[in-house]
Amino acid sequence: MTARPRLDDYRIILAYSGRVAIGLGAVYAVPLAVAALEGEWAAFVDLSIGCSASLALGAALASLMPREARPGWLHGMVATAVSWLLAMFLAAIPYRLSGHYASWLDSLFDAMSGFTTTGLTLVQDLDHLSRALNTWRHVVTFVGGQGVVVLALSFLVGGSRGGYELYVGEAKDERLFPRVAHTAKAIWKISAVYLAVGVGALWVAGLSIGLPAKEAFYHGAWVYMAAWSTGGFAPMSQNVGYYHSAVYELVCVAFFLAGSLNFALHHALMTGNRRELARNAEVISFTVTFAGLFTLAAWALAGSGTYGGIATLLRKGFYHVISAHTTTGFMTVAARQFAREWTPLALCAMILAMMAGGSACSTAGGVKGMRVAMLWLAIRNEVRALLLPSHASFRRRIHASGDRDLGDGVVKGAALVALLYVATWVLTTMAGVAAGYSPMDAAFEGASVTGNVGLSIGVTAPGMPAALKVVYLLVMWVGRLEFMAVLALGRFVLSAFGRRRP
């Protein structure tokens, strides 16, 4: 599909997007059940409208699939990019109808923030959201962490052609099984196991700090879904600081750290291959970069006297650096405390942590530990090649769920994506400065948006300029799909104005 697309090309793309919309409509059943149980009938109506729109539009689009469809790579990539935009619009319907958002733009912003597991929010009066709408916010994050396309692949696309192209378009390339549909189902099974354990652990933690049983359960479910998806949404405006509990925070760390790991690594551990945890290049990369960045931030905070005592330094400094590095975005301090209490050096450590991110093929964002490891090993190999005799040879491989060749093409691909992340962060920072924010505030928020993190220094708010909201929304989308699917969509749009194929 290098020249002007044919009608069947559009039909294939829209049909796959329709199947994603049907999957989203089915997911609406969770908050609808909560609304019915809690008697929140206004929220029930709002959610029903969103559900109906998703199912009706999805069915209409899915019916467009040509009888002799022959989907290719570009179809899958473009369908992925389009599906995420369509899901954003459909998920935003109950947000806008709820009255907790000032505009459609704010509703779309939060929907995209949820699906991309970013966690920045423009919701108003968060502390008084209905339980059903709060459930929907966190279900959106949970689905986004696994992938909206993974949802469709698990239950709707099955073994049909084009499934792998859709899967890769969502910035995933791990195949736990030969068939990509089986891989997608395995991802959901892994998440379901952690869901049961995580909600139970946070429910107990909630009970231990005095929350009523029902509240402890709801908060446990909401916080777990955000933690596992490294999403950053929280049910209260104080974020995780609302609980005032070191135990609650520690349980959160365990699950968002797990969520930042590659699904293939989870599969290996669940099937008895525990050695993989110590050998995996991404785990090693994350450990080294986190240790270095936390040491830098702790040194800066200790030197400034921001937090007195090792316990406070760990609870504030350690918690936020690991929240940044896993791209979770949970906070135990107010947004402007970063600007007032953290030194520029500590904030720079946070920016680097947010940009580095978690593991590839996980719920985390950022450049990813795999690419960091690849680039480090490539530099090391080049240095070794310069120092060793010309006839010497050495292994150029990286281990992550198996050995992989570290050829020039792989290294160039990793470097390209890393460069695109840095360039996007620079442009996003410039947009923040142009909107009137300080360079440090704009750089911090820009890193959070680009890396799909959710930590805020106070820039993201309902009163921020509309143009910056649009920039942030698009950057979240681009960053979550790791550029390729969005670039494919751009190529497709440009080809629509090219010459028609013979």
Side-chain angles (χ1 to χ4, degrees), residues 299-374:
W299 180 69
L301 292 172
S304 67
T306 301
Y307 300 120
I310 187 67
T312 305
L313 182 60
L314 284 173
R315 191 168 173 187
K316 302 298 184 183
F318 175 89
Y319 190 87
H320 288 98
V321 175
I322 199 166
S323 178
H325 206 323
T326 58
T327 72
T328 302
F330 277 165
M331 302 169 61
T332 60
V333 300
R336 289 309 293 170
Q337 283 184 268
F338 283 123
R340 292 194 302 266
E341 299 177 358
W342 286 52
T343 67
L345 184 59
L347 292 176
C348 286
M350 290 284 284
I351 289 171
L352 290 173
M354 288 190 283
M355 291 297 291
S359 297
C361 300
S362 70
T363 66
V367 172
K368 304 292 196 318
M370 176 63 77
R371 296 190 183 96
V372 173
M374 285 179 175

Side-chain angles (χ1 to χ4, degrees), residues 115-153:
F115 278 127
T116 58
T117 71
T118 302
L120 293 170
T121 183
L122 299 177
V123 67
Q124 299 185 32
D125 197 16
L126 173 59
D127 294 344
H128 296 97
L129 248 60
S130 66
R131 285 172 172 162
L133 190 61
N134 235 331
T135 299
W136 180 235
R137 292 175 70 239
H138 290 86
V139 166
V140 164
T141 301
F142 189 65
V143 169
Q146 280 48 247
V148 294
V149 167
V150 168
L151 175 70
L153 286 171

Side-chain angles (χ1 to χ4, degrees), residues 224-396:
Y224 166 77
M225 285 189 279
W228 169 253
S229 301
T230 62
F233 275 163
M236 307 300 290
S237 57
Q238 291 177 283
N239 207 274
V240 179
Y242 168 80
Y243 304 101
H244 299 289
S245 168
V247 172
Y248 209 94
E249 294 163 17
L250 190 60
V251 175
C252 289
V253 169
F255 288 105
F256 67 62
L257 188 58
S260 73
L261 298 177
N262 192 304
F263 280 108
L265 179 58
H266 285 291
H267 183 261
L269 295 175
M270 288 182 174
T271 53
N273 184 12
R274 293 177 176 80
R275 290 183 58 196
E276 182 63 29
L277 187 64
R279 300 175 60 205
N280 191 279
E282 286 193 289
V283 175
I284 296 170
S285 169
F286 181 92
T287 303
V288 172
T289 53
F290 171 75
L293 292 171
F294 172 64
T295 299
L296 182 64
W299 180 69
L301 292 172
S304 67
T306 301
Y307 300 120
I310 187 67
T312 305
L313 182 60
L314 284 173
R315 191 168 173 187
K316 302 298 184 183
F318 175 89
Y319 190 87
H320 288 98
V321 175
I322 199 166
S323 178
H325 206 323
T326 58
T327 72
T328 302
F330 277 165
M331 302 169 61
T332 60
V333 300
R336 289 309 293 170
Q337 283 184 268
F338 283 123
R340 292 194 302 266
E341 299 177 358
W342 286 52
T343 67
L345 184 59
L347 292 176
C348 286
M350 290 284 284
I351 289 171
L352 290 173
M354 288 190 283
M355 291 297 291
S359 297
C361 300
S362 70
T363 66
V367 172
K368 304 292 196 318
M370 176 63 77
R371 296 190 183 96
V372 173
M374 285 179 175
L375 294 176
W376 166 250
L377 290 175
I379 293 170
R380 190 190 68 175
N381 288 341
E382 289 302 314
V383 172
R384 290 176 67 186
L386 289 173
L387 297 177
L388 292 174
S390 58
H391 62 274
S393 61
F394 53 90
R395 191 180 184 189
R396 295 176 183 264

